């Protein structure tokens, strides 16, 4: 395994007026006799710099458009997973590529798009809900939001399941389409994989709608201090379970971060002539 570390050298996208400055933190070129992905890959870490980025709190790599070595070989992988946002200042954004040719002397170019994210309550990207644990089985986000987030417990969903099926179906038909879809999803949790619901130190949510707009689900105490979580588990996109070192307090407030048009700015970036070890 070869590891190549560089001092933070700022590289600019071609047009300064539109550029987001990024700096190369490290480059790691792994090679193995096996065909495994983990044994053969090139990983680059970058971070954002400059005055513009200081207006935002989080950043992520939205997409990669081009990656090519000095021999003209394409380095983009077939699969690009959706990246999570990282807090600006501590971020190390990872770009995973195919290995360059051995005779290549550099990665000629890596370019793509970054999302800069600044969530506030004013721009609709932060929604806080007090006493949410007393509001199971209902959408906790405003109707105009692009998705729904519903808190539930095993007990709250089992209570729904105990209703007579005919009565339940009749009630379902009276609901508006969005609420009906949430109710049907919650019922599926019990009938399908209800045994995996939250434990004593966990909180579970059913997420529906445009799932790409959900950034995170956080907890804070009554003073606004964020509660550190010990784990996160997402099953089938819809079921989100969060673990804590203590039993959730009824006074905790829910803090949902979502993408809105006013909270996100997409900007291009490009790194060129990255010397290989």
């Amino acid at each position: 395994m070869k590891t190549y570390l560089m001092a933070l050298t700022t590289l600019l996208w071609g047009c300064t007026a539109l550029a987001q400055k990024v700096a190369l933190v490290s480059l790691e070129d792994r090679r193995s006799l096996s065909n495994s992905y983990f044994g053969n890959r090139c990983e680059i870490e970058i971070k954002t710099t400059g005055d513009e980025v200081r207006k935002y709190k989080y950043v992520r790599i939205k997409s990669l458009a081009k990656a090519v070595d000095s021999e003209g070989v394409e380095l983009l992988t077939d699969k690009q997973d959706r990246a999570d946002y990282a807090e600006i200042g501590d971020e190390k954004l990872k770009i995973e590529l195919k290995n360059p040719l051995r005779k290549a002397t550099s990665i000629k170019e890596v370019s793509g798009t970054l999302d800069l994210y600044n969530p506030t309550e004013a721009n609709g990207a932060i929604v806080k809900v007090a006493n949410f644990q007393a509001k199971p089985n209902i959408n906790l986000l405003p109707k105009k939001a692009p998705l729904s987030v519903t808190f539930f417990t095993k007990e709250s969903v089992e209570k729904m399941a105990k209703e007579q099926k005919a009565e339940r179906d009749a009630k379902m038909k009276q609901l508006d389409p969005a609420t009906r879809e949430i109710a049907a999803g919650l019922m599926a949790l019990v009938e399908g994989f209800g045994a995996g619901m939250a434990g004593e130190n966990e909180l579970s949510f059913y997420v529906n709608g445009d799932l790409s707009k959900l950034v995170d689900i956080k907890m804070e105490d009554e003073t606004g201090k964020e509660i550190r979580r010990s784990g996160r588990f997402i099953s089938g996109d819809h079921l989100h379970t969060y673990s804590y070192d203590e039993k959730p307090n009824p006074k905790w407030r829910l803090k949902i971060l979502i993408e809105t048009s006013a909270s996100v700015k997409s900007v291009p970036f490009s790194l060129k002539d990255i010397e290989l070890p």
Side-chain angles (χ1 to χ4, degrees):
M1 179 177 70
K2 297 180 181 179
T3 301
Y4 181 62
L5 298 176
M6 292 183 61
L8 297 181
T9 303
T10 299
L11 297 136
L12 300 178
W13 185 67
C15 178
T16 305
L18 299 176
Q20 171 53 48
K21 299 177 182 179
V22 293
L24 179 67
V25 177
S26 69
L27 184 153
E28 186 175 57
D29 190 13
R30 300 183 182 184
R31 298 181 186 270
S32 171
L33 293 176
S34 73
N35 293 322
S36 79
Y37 164 75
F38 294 101
N40 294 277
R41 62 174 171 169
C42 181
E43 186 174 276
I44 296 172
E45 287 188 343
I46 64 172
K47 71 174 296 176
T48 52
T49 66
D51 292 338
E52 177 67 17
V53 75
R54 287 158 58 186
K55 301 175 185 177
Y56 296 85
K57 295 181 181 178
Y58 301 89
V59 62
R60 68 169 180 149
I61 296 176
K62 181 179 183 179
S63 62
L64 295 175
K66 183 178 181 180
V68 62
D69 69 14
S70 58
E71 296 295 312
V73 172
E74 176 63 55
L75 303 180
L76 288 181
T77 61
D78 296 331
K79 184 179 179 181
Q80 293 186 34
D81 294 327
R82 184 175 184 268
D84 291 332
Y85 278 101
E87 192 166 353
I88 290 171
D90 298 324
E91 85 277 16
K92 290 183 180 179
L93 306 178
K94 291 186 178 181
I95 300 174
E96 294 180 352
L97 305 172
K98 297 177 182 177
N99 295 101
L101 291 185
R102 289 190 179 275
K103 63 180 179 179
T105 58
S106 68
I107 296 178
K108 185 176 180 180
E109 181 179 355
V110 177
S111 58
T113 303
L114 298 176
D115 275 343
L116 301 175
Y117 179 55
N118 183 35
T120 66
E121 290 184 81
N123 63 28
I126 294 179
V127 178
K128 295 185 179 183
V129 184
N131 199 31
F132 72 93
Q133 294 180 63
K135 305 171 185 177
N137 302 353
I138 61 172
N139 178 24
L140 299 172
L141 285 176
K143 287 187 176 181
K144 64 180 180 179
L147 71 157
S148 62
V149 174
T150 303
F151 169 69
F152 69 90
T153 64
K154 185 174 183 179
E155 293 73 23
S156 73
V157 182
E158 285 179 340
K159 184 178 179 181
M160 293 173 61
K162 287 179 181 178
E163 298 177 357
Q164 293 295 323
K165 186 176 188 304
E167 180 184 355
R168 192 170 72 230
D169 289 347
K171 288 183 178 180
M172 291 277 281
K173 291 178 182 178
Q174 298 174 15
L175 299 174
D176 64 85
T179 305
R180 188 185 309 130
E181 190 174 357
I182 293 171
L186 287 171
M187 292 307 302
L189 294 177
V190 170
E191 296 167 358
F193 47 90
M197 290 184 188
E200 187 177 57
N201 289 5
E202 297 175 329
L203 294 169
S204 283
F205 300 86
Y206 182 80
V207 181
N208 202 33
D210 189 351
L211 305 179
S212 68
K213 298 299 182 183
L214 179 65
V215 175
D216 208 346
I217 296 176
K218 297 176 178 283
M219 298 295 145
E220 59 183 27
D221 64 19
E222 59 268 36
T223 69
K225 181 182 178 181
E226 186 173 314
I227 307 296
R228 188 186 70 85
R229 66 189 180 216
S230 57
R232 179 179 70 165
F233 175 73
I234 300 176
S235 175
D237 292 331
H238 295 286
L239 176 59
H240 291 235
T241 300
Y242 301 89
S243 305
Y244 302 89
D245 293 329
E246 59 183 300
K247 186 176 180 179
N249 190 311
K251 293 183 180 180
W252 286 3
R253 291 192 299 236
L254 181 64
K255 181 180 177 181
I256 305 172
L257 302 182
I258 59 177
E259 284 188 351
T260 63
S261 57
S263 65
V264 179
K265 180 179 180 181
S266 296
V267 293
F269 76 95
S270 181
L271 295 173
K272 295 185 178 181
D273 299 322
I274 305 170
E275 185 181 350
L276 289 170

